[in-house]
Amino acid sequence: MGLLKRFWRRGTGQRGAKPSPPARRRVPTFREMHARMRTERAEATLLATEAKIHQEAEQYRRGRRRTG
């Protein structure tokens, strides 16, 4: 049955069909925008924390900071 469908579908196309109008861009909902803002804020915090960790590690390597 699948073989017949494959050959049958080959003949159908959009030869004489009108081109569809351009799709309108969907406006994100408030919930989606709020989630994006939270994600971006969390990523920024994470990057800042990572930069601080690398800076402190460099200070430890250079002997400027002492443990304990």
Side-chain angles (χ1 to χ4, degrees), residues 6-18:
R6 188 174 70 194
F7 288 120
W8 179 74
R9 286 176 183 258
R10 185 179 293 169
T12 62
Q14 294 186 0
R15 289 185 205 112
K18 294 181 188 176

Side-chain angles (χ1 to χ4, degrees), residues 8-67:
W8 179 74
R9 286 176 183 258
R10 185 179 293 169
T12 62
Q14 294 186 0
R15 289 185 205 112
K18 294 181 188 176
S20 61
R24 289 181 27 187
R25 293 190 57 156
R26 190 177 71 81
V27 177
T29 62
F30 175 77
R31 179 178 285 179
E32 291 169 341
M33 289 299 292
H34 192 63
R36 175 181 274 175
M37 290 289 289
R38 280 197 322 262
T39 302
E40 289 177 1
R41 194 177 306 133
E43 287 176 351
T45 304
L46 184 65
L47 288 174
T49 303
E50 188 176 353
K52 185 177 177 183
I53 289 170
H54 284 289
Q55 183 180 13
E56 289 181 4
E58 183 65 28
Q59 288 176 355
Y60 278 115
R61 280 194 292 273
R62 293 182 181 204
R64 292 187 183 161
R65 292 188 61 144
R66 298 287 177 214
T67 58

